[in-house]
Amino acid sequence: MQSVHGRSERKLIILSDLNQPIGPTDETVKELGSFLGTLARNSTFCPLNIHNWKKLNTKEDMWKYIKQTSKTNTENRKKLKNPHTAGKTGFATIREKKRKETSEDPSSKDMFVATRSRKTGRVCKESYEDTMHKIAEMEQIQTQEIEDDNQSVDAFATVMGPEHPGRVRLYERGVTKTILKQKSGNSGPSSKTTDEIMQQELEEMEEKMQQRLQKKFEEQQETWRQHITLNVVAQLRHLNPDLRVDPNMLTFSGCSLGEASSTQQAAI
C-alpha cells in the first residue's frame, strides 16, 4: 500500500482494553486492517525480489488461486444466516462507540443489532428476514427481563445458542472467554476508561519528547560553552605566549581542556 509504505511518519494506533484497534479514527483502523491484509498474502505468487510484473512466471497459478478463492468465499457467504452489515468497520470500533454513548459495555444483543442493521430503504436479502426475526425475539426477551426484574437471562444466547469453543461471537478474532473473564474480574470502580488511557499515553509520550529535547538543548549549550571558552583561551595565548592556564579550571562535563580541544578539532 503506497499510502502506508510511502509515508515518513508512523500513525498512532489506539487499542481497547481487549487489545483491539479502535482509533484514533475509523479511517486509521480501516487502513491498518487493509495493510495487515497485504502482509498476509501468499508470497510465492508475488515474491519481493521480482520487481517487474512481466518477469513473473506465476500469473496462471495466481489467476487460478483468485478464481478458486472467489468461488469459495461466495459459497461460504451464502451459508451465512445472519451476515453483518458493518463493512470494513471493525466490531471493536463499534463496541467502543456504543460504550461512549451509554457509558457501559454494550450487551451481545446490542452488538448484534448494531452490526446487523441496514439503512432505511435499502433492498435486503432473504437472509435479513431471519436476522430481523431474531432481533425481535431478543427485544421481546429483554423487555420481559425488565418487567420481571430478572437480569440473569442473556437475550442473545437464548436466541442464538451457546458459544462455540475457542471463540466469542461479536468480538472478532483474538478474544476468548478466558480473556473476557479476566477483564470482568479486573474491572472495578478504579478501572480507567479508554479515553483516560489514551490521555495518559499521550501525556507520557509528550513528557518523553520534552526530556529528549531538553537533553539535546543542554548538550548544545555545553558544546557552545566549550567552543567559546577555547576560543578565548586561544586568543589569550596568542597575545601572551607565556600564559599558563590551570587545566582543572577548564573542565567541561568531565573532559579536560586538552580533551575538549581534541573533540572540537575532530568535530571541525
Side-chain angles (χ1 to χ4, degrees), residues 120-150:
T120 305
R122 183 174 178 180
V123 179
C124 302
K125 298 181 179 179
E126 295 180 359
S127 60
Y128 191 63
E129 295 181 3
D130 180 65
T131 301
M132 292 297 295
H133 177 69
K134 289 179 178 177
I135 291 177
E137 284 189 68
M138 294 179 194
E139 295 282 1
Q140 184 177 0
I141 294 174
Q142 193 173 50
T143 302
Q144 190 65 37
E145 287 179 15
I146 297 175
E147 293 177 355
D148 298 342
D149 194 20
N150 181 11

Coordinates of all heavy atoms in Angstrom, one line a residue, residues 120-150:
T120 N -32.3 2.6 6.0 CA -33.7 2.6 5.6 C -33.8 2.8 4.1 O -33.1 3.6 3.5 CB -34.4 3.8 6.3 OG1 -34.2 3.8 7.7 CG2 -35.9 3.8 5.9
G121 N -34.6 1.9 3.5 CA -34.9 1.9 2.1 C -33.9 1.0 1.3 O -34.1 0.9 0.1
R122 N -33.0 0.4 1.9 CA -32.1 -0.4 1.2 C -32.7 -1.8 1.0 O -33.3 -2.3 1.9 CB -30.8 -0.6 2.0 CG -29.7 -1.4 1.2 CD -28.4 -1.4 2.0 NE -27.4 -2.3 1.3 CZ -26.2 -2.5 1.7 NH1 -25.7 -1.8 2.8 NH2 -25.4 -3.2 1.0
V123 N -32.5 -2.3 -0.2 CA -33.1 -3.7 -0.5 C -32.3 -4.7 0.3 O -31.1 -4.8 0.3 CB -32.9 -4.0 -2.0 CG1 -33.5 -5.3 -2.3 CG2 -33.7 -2.9 -2.8
C124 N -33.1 -5.6 1.0 CA -32.5 -6.6 1.8 C -32.6 -8.0 1.2 O -33.5 -8.2 0.5 CB -33.2 -6.6 3.2 SG -33.1 -5.0 4.0
K125 N -31.7 -8.8 1.5 CA -31.7 -10.2 1.1 C -32.7 -11.0 1.9 O -33.1 -10.5 3.0 CB -30.3 -10.8 1.1 CG -29.3 -10.1 0.2 CD -27.9 -10.8 0.3 CE -26.9 -10.1 -0.6 NZ -25.6 -10.7 -0.5
E126 N -33.0 -12.2 1.4 CA -33.9 -13.0 2.2 C -33.4 -13.4 3.6 O -34.1 -13.5 4.5 CB -34.2 -14.3 1.4 CG -34.9 -14.1 0.1 CD -35.1 -15.4 -0.7 OE1 -34.7 -16.4 -0.2 OE2 -35.7 -15.3 -1.8
S127 N -32.0 -13.5 3.7 CA -31.5 -13.9 5.0 C -31.7 -12.8 6.0 O -31.7 -13.1 7.2 CB -30.0 -14.1 4.8 OG -29.3 -13.0 4.3
Y128 N -31.9 -11.6 5.6 CA -32.1 -10.5 6.5 C -33.4 -10.6 7.3 O -33.6 -10.1 8.4 CB -32.0 -9.1 5.8 CG -32.0 -8.0 6.8 CD1 -30.9 -7.8 7.6 CD2 -33.0 -7.0 6.8 CE1 -30.8 -6.8 8.5 CE2 -32.9 -6.0 7.7 CZ -31.8 -5.8 8.6 OH -31.7 -4.8 9.4
E129 N -34.4 -11.3 6.7 CA -35.7 -11.5 7.4 C -35.5 -12.4 8.6 O -36.1 -12.1 9.7 CB -36.7 -12.2 6.4 CG -37.1 -11.4 5.2 CD -38.1 -12.1 4.3 OE1 -38.5 -13.2 4.7 OE2 -38.5 -11.5 3.3
D130 N -34.6 -13.4 8.5 CA -34.3 -14.2 9.7 C -33.6 -13.4 10.7 O -33.8 -13.5 11.9 CB -33.4 -15.4 9.2 CG -33.0 -16.3 10.4 OD1 -33.9 -16.9 11.0 OD2 -31.8 -16.3 10.8
T131 N -32.7 -12.4 10.3 CA -32.0 -11.6 11.2 C -33.0 -10.7 12.0 O -32.9 -10.5 13.2 CB -31.0 -10.7 10.5 OG1 -30.0 -11.5 9.8 CG2 -30.2 -9.8 11.5
M132 N -33.9 -10.1 11.2 CA -34.9 -9.2 11.9 C -35.8 -10.0 12.8 O -36.1 -9.5 13.9 CB -35.8 -8.6 10.8 CG -35.1 -7.6 9.9 SD -34.4 -6.2 10.9 CE -36.0 -5.4 11.4
H133 N -36.1 -11.2 12.5 CA -36.9 -12.1 13.4 C -36.2 -12.4 14.7 O -36.7 -12.3 15.8 CB -37.2 -13.4 12.7 CG -38.0 -14.3 13.5 ND1 -39.3 -14.1 13.9 CD2 -37.6 -15.5 14.1 CE1 -39.7 -15.1 14.7 NE2 -38.7 -16.0 14.8
K134 N -34.9 -12.6 14.6 CA -34.1 -12.9 15.8 C -33.9 -11.7 16.6 O -33.9 -11.7 17.9 CB -32.7 -13.5 15.4 CG -32.8 -14.9 14.8 CD -31.4 -15.4 14.4 CE -31.6 -16.9 13.9 NZ -30.3 -17.4 13.4
I135 N -33.7 -10.5 16.0 CA -33.6 -9.3 16.7 C -35.0 -9.0 17.5 O -34.9 -8.6 18.7 CB -33.3 -8.1 15.8 CG1 -31.9 -8.2 15.3 CG2 -33.5 -6.7 16.5 CD1 -31.5 -7.1 14.3
A136 N -36.1 -9.3 16.8 CA -37.4 -9.1 17.5 C -37.5 -10.0 18.7 O -38.0 -9.6 19.8 CB -38.5 -9.4 16.5
E137 N -37.0 -11.3 18.6 CA -37.0 -12.2 19.7 C -36.2 -11.7 20.9 O -36.6 -11.8 22.0 CB -36.5 -13.6 19.2 CG -37.5 -14.4 18.4 CD -37.0 -15.8 18.2 OE1 -36.9 -16.6 19.2 OE2 -36.6 -16.1 17.0
M138 N -35.0 -11.2 20.5 CA -34.2 -10.6 21.6 C -34.8 -9.5 22.3 O -34.7 -9.3 23.5 CB -32.8 -10.2 21.0 CG -32.0 -11.4 20.4 SD -30.4 -10.8 19.7 CE -29.9 -12.2 18.8
E139 N -35.4 -8.6 21.5 CA -36.1 -7.4 22.1 C -37.2 -7.9 23.0 O -37.4 -7.3 24.1 CB -36.7 -6.6 21.0 CG -35.7 -5.9 20.1 CD -35.0 -4.7 20.7 OE1 -35.3 -4.4 21.8 OE2 -34.1 -4.1 20.0
Q140 N -38.0 -8.9 22.6 CA -39.1 -9.4 23.5 C -38.5 -10.0 24.8 O -39.1 -9.8 25.8 CB -39.8 -10.5 22.7 CG -41.1 -11.0 23.4 CD -41.9 -12.0 22.6 OE1 -41.5 -12.3 21.5 NE2 -43.0 -12.5 23.2
I141 N -37.4 -10.8 24.7 CA -36.9 -11.4 25.9 C -36.3 -10.3 26.8 O -36.5 -10.4 28.0 CB -35.7 -12.4 25.5 CG1 -36.3 -13.6 24.7 CG2 -35.0 -12.8 26.7 CD1 -35.3 -14.5 24.2
Q142 N -35.7 -9.3 26.2 CA -35.1 -8.2 27.0 C -36.2 -7.4 27.7 O -36.1 -7.0 28.9 CB -34.3 -7.3 26.2 CG -33.4 -6.3 27.0 CD -32.5 -5.5 26.1 OE1 -32.9 -5.0 25.1 NE2 -31.2 -5.5 26.4
T143 N -37.3 -7.2 27.0 CA -38.4 -6.5 27.6 C -39.0 -7.3 28.8 O -39.4 -6.7 29.8 CB -39.5 -6.2 26.5 OG1 -39.0 -5.5 25.5 CG2 -40.7 -5.4 27.1
Q144 N -39.1 -8.6 28.6 CA -39.7 -9.4 29.6 C -38.7 -9.4 30.8 O -39.2 -9.5 32.0 CB -39.8 -10.9 29.1 CG -40.6 -11.8 30.0 CD -42.0 -11.4 30.2 OE1 -42.7 -10.9 29.3 NE2 -42.5 -11.5 31.4
E145 N -37.4 -9.4 30.6 CA -36.5 -9.3 31.7 C -36.7 -8.1 32.6 O -36.7 -8.1 33.8 CB -35.0 -9.3 31.2 CG -34.6 -10.6 30.6 CD -33.1 -10.5 30.1 OE1 -32.5 -9.5 30.4 OE2 -32.7 -11.4 29.3
I146 N -36.9 -7.0 31.9 CA -37.1 -5.7 32.6 C -38.4 -5.7 33.4 O -38.5 -5.3 34.6 CB -37.2 -4.5 31.6 CG1 -35.8 -4.4 30.9 CG2 -37.5 -3.2 32.3 CD1 -35.8 -3.3 29.8
E147 N -39.5 -6.3 32.8 CA -40.7 -6.4 33.5 C -40.6 -7.3 34.7 O -41.2 -7.0 35.8 CB -41.8 -6.9 32.6 CG -42.2 -5.9 31.5 CD -43.2 -6.4 30.5 OE1 -43.6 -7.6 30.6 OE2 -43.6 -5.7 29.6
D148 N -39.9 -8.4 34.6 CA -39.8 -9.4 35.7 C -38.6 -9.0 36.6 O -38.4 -9.7 37.6 CB -39.5 -10.8 35.1 CG -40.7 -11.3 34.3 OD1 -41.8 -10.7 34.4 OD2 -40.5 -12.2 33.5
D149 N -37.9 -8.0 36.3 CA -36.7 -7.6 37.1 C -35.7 -8.7 37.2 O -35.2 -9.0 38.3 CB -37.1 -7.1 38.5 CG -36.0 -6.3 39.2 OD1 -35.1 -5.9 38.5 OD2 -36.0 -6.2 40.4
N150 N -35.5 -9.4 36.1 CA -34.6 -10.5 36.1 C -33.5 -10.3 35.0 O -33.8 -10.3 33.8 CB -35.3 -11.8 35.7 CG -34.4 -13.0 35.7 OD1 -33.3 -13.0 36.1 ND2 -35.0 -14.1 35.2

